[in-house]
């Protein structure tokens, strides 16, 4: 069975929701309008139970099938936008300066709402579907906040599934892989303390700009010389702050950045070597480096059985040859990883076509993908819990 006809017919309505959400982007946990929009729609659909305020501003809807089976499956969408000034020029562009749905979470929310509407109407399954709308995917660990609020136990969720649109993959295709599919994303801070002084008397100072530059260079050797060439890792320094003027050697410098990895042992290695190299290089120059390594989102690890199941459902929706079952992992992070640490499940990429990249000011979620993503959710529930 390809795309569900009824959902294709409804794409226009779901597109309207998507564009409404797009016009009103909200950041992190401050997704009050979006959460209210979601809760109101779920109520209108006749969801059996709607709970708001989980993980601060998350929303959960419970939809019971026509038979009272014990199986419970969680489907998750994210609701938050990004602090980016939109440059799409679209009629439904963001109405809030400096905020934008540049990761397609507007589309994710609208598609899961579309699926919830259909599931509420048809109830053609034996068990319970739990639709999860989370805040703060973009760096705020909203998924973890909902877990910490007891969501998985409270709704007896046994398996979890997630989806993200993927620019560059054609519309009407899916891509997934068993095991690690997205990276652990960690944050680093390196505070360098030297000796400030007159720029014309460098021999009386310890120059934190020079120390910082040496550290930035040396850190690149971790991936080149310490990580196994067959493993994957990223070390990026993305911020270098020092000084205020041209005749003073600054006493302090700050480096910030991110480390990415797909395996625990590589993550451990990055943390250890980053600290050793930064401190060692600082010492070499007579400076001191204070290193903070913060483990943020874990690796997104797809359960093999759940992945096989997701592949079979996706193939049913878009056709055999339009599902890539062993996509190359990406080094981006995703807090759905926390849910997959607690429950078996799978995270799938859905083609967004030839659009600007995620987090780009010209990005827009592709509404042509709506029937595919929505049908995937519905068929996943109906296939996992046949009536
Ligand atoms: Ni995203």
């Amino acid at each position: 069975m390809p795309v569900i006809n009824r959902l294709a017919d409804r794409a226009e309505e779901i597109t309207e929701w998507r564009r409404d959400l797009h016009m009103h982007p909200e950041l992190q946990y401050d997704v009050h309008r979006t959460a209210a929009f979601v809760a109101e729609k779920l109520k209108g659909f006749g969801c059996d139970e709607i709970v708001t305020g989980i993980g601060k501003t998350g929303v959960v809807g419970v939809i019971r099938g026509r038979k009272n089976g014990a199986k419970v499956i969680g489907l998750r969408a994210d609701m938050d936008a990004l602090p980016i000034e939109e440059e799409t020029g679209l009629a439904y562009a963001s109405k809030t300066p400096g905020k934008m749905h540049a990761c397609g979470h507007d589309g994710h929310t609208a598609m899961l709402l579309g699926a919830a509407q259909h599931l509420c109407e048809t109830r053609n399954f034996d068990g319970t579907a739990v639709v999860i709308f989370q805040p703060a995917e973009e760096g705020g660990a909203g998924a973890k906040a909902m877990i910490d609020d007891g969501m998985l136990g409270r709704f007896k969720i046994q398996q979890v599934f997630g989806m993200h649109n993927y620019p560059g993959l054609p519309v009407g295709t899916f891509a997934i892989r068993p095991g690690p599919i997205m990276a652990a994303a960690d944050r680093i801070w390196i505070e360098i303390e030297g000796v400030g002084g007159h720029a014309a008397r460098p021999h009386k100072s310890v120059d934190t700009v020079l120390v910082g530059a040496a550290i930035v260079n040396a850190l690149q050797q971790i991936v080149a010389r310490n990580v196994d060439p067959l493993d994957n890792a990223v070390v990026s320094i993305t911020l270098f702050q020092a000084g205020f003027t041209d005749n003073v050697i600054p006493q302090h410098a700050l480096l910030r950045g991110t480390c990415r990895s797909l395996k625990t042992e590589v993550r451990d290695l990055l943390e250890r070597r980053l600290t050793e190299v930064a401190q060692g290089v600082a010492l070499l120059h007579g400076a001191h480096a204070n290193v903070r390594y913060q483990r943020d989102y874990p690796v997104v690890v797809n359960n093999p059985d759940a992945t096989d199941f997701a592949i079979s459902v996706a193939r049913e929706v878009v056709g055999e040859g339009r599902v890539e079952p062993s996509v190359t992992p990406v080094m981006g992070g995703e807090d759905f990883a926390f849910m997959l640490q607690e429950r078996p499940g799978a995270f799938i990429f859905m083609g967004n076509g030839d659009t600007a990249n995620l987090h780009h000011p010209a990005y827009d979620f592709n509404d042509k993908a709506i029937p595919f993503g929505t049908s995937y959710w519905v068929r996943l529930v109906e296939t996992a819990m046949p009536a």
Side-chain angles (χ1 to χ4, degrees):
M1 188 210 279
V3 162
I4 298 170
N5 285 334
R6 196 138 156 211
L7 287 171
D9 293 345
R10 229 170 224 163
E12 206 175 314
E13 186 184 8
I14 301 169
T15 298
E16 274 172 35
W17 302 340
R18 203 285 287 184
R19 294 183 177 186
D20 185 294
L21 295 169
H22 191 88
M23 278 191 276
H24 302 99
E26 296 175 301
L27 304 184
Q28 294 288 326
Y29 288 95
D30 192 22
V31 289
H32 299 283
R33 183 192 182 275
T34 311
F37 182 98
V38 166
E40 195 214 295
K41 289 277 176 257
L42 293 177
K43 198 174 164 203
F45 304 155
C47 235
D48 296 289
E49 204 182 325
I50 301 153
V51 183
T52 58
I54 300 190
K56 294 184 188 156
T57 41
V59 182
V60 170
V62 176
I63 307 164
R64 295 195 185 92
R66 69 166 70 126
K67 287 189 198 159
N68 216 7
K71 214 165 171 186
V72 184
I73 291 196
L75 314 176
R76 171 274 203 173
D78 38 16
M79 300 189 285
D80 57 322
L82 284 155
I84 294 175
E85 186 69 36
E86 181 159 350
E87 291 175 19
T88 60
L90 292 162
Y92 54 87
S94 168
K95 289 184 182 297
T96 311
K99 296 181 189 177
M100 172 192 181
H101 267 294
C103 203
H105 299 184
D106 48 348
H108 302 165
T109 297
M111 289 191 298
L112 189 54
L113 280 175
Q117 182 180 34
H118 187 87
L119 291 169
C120 281
E121 270 179 23
T122 53
R123 311 258 176 183
N124 193 23
F125 56 98
D126 177 15
T128 303
V130 177
V131 287
I132 303 163
F133 297 87
Q134 75 153 79
E137 194 289 317
E138 300 288 357
K144 186 170 186 303
M146 292 186 85
I147 293 166
D148 291 347
D149 233 352
M151 174 185 72
L152 296 171
R154 176 171 175 179
F155 298 100
K156 302 183 171 65
I157 295 166
Q158 297 159 351
Q159 282 190 304
V160 285
F161 291 87
M163 188 196 305
H164 207 293
N165 77 93
Y166 201 106
L169 270 186
V171 169
T173 66
F174 288 92
I176 192 170
R177 66 176 287 119
I181 185 167
M182 292 185 74
D186 300 332
R187 297 168 189 243
I188 38 187
W189 288 259
I190 302 168
E191 289 166 7
I192 303 159
E193 169 134 25
V195 178
H198 200 295
R201 293 164 57 81
H203 58 297
K204 296 292 182 188
S205 300
V206 174
D207 182 357
T208 52
V209 173
L210 189 67
V211 176
I215 290 175
V216 172
N217 275 318
L219 291 180
Q220 292 311 312
Q221 296 169 27
I222 297 173
V223 174
R225 300 287 89 166
N226 299 141
V227 174
D228 185 326
L230 297 178
D231 282 331
N232 310 92
V234 176
V235 175
S236 288
I237 298 299
T238 56
L239 179 150
F240 187 153
Q241 270 174 356
F244 300 96
T245 185
D246 57 16
N247 62 353
V248 176
I249 289 172
Q251 171 99 6
H252 300 279
L254 173 67
L255 305 177
R256 284 182 58 186
T258 183
C259 289
R260 307 292 169 109
S261 53
L262 292 169
K263 283 183 183 171
T264 308
E265 54 267 38
V266 176
R267 197 180 199 188
D268 293 344
L269 174 82
L270 292 180
E271 176 167 9
R272 180 171 62 79
R273 287 299 291 153
L274 188 112
T275 308
E276 287 171 357
V277 170
Q279 288 177 344
V281 171
L283 196 66
L284 181 71
H285 289 78
H288 175 77
N290 192 11
V291 180
R292 189 172 138 217
Y293 189 101
Q294 181 184 303
R295 293 187 176 219
D296 232 10
Y297 294 176
V299 183
V300 178
V301 183
N302 278 339
N303 171 280
D305 293 337
T307 304
D308 283 345
F309 175 67
I311 290 168
S312 69
V313 171
R315 280 184 172 151
E316 203 191 324
V317 173
V318 293
E320 183 84 15
R322 296 179 70 79
V323 180
E324 167 56 62
S326 53
V327 69
T328 305
V330 297
M331 299 308 275
E334 161 64 63
D335 75 350
F336 188 66
F338 289 110
M339 296 200 190
L340 287 175
Q341 280 187 330
E342 301 293 325
R343 295 290 186 273
F347 192 71
I348 198 165
F349 298 135
M350 180 194 68
N352 200 53
D354 189 20
T355 60
N357 260 319
L358 300 173
H359 297 205
H360 188 278
Y363 167 87
D364 190 32
F365 178 81
N366 195 333
D367 291 320
K368 291 194 181 75
I370 285 174
F372 302 103
T374 317
S375 297
Y376 170 78
W377 282 139
V378 169
R379 290 302 297 148
L380 193 137
V381 169
E382 293 176 346
T383 311
M385 304 181 285

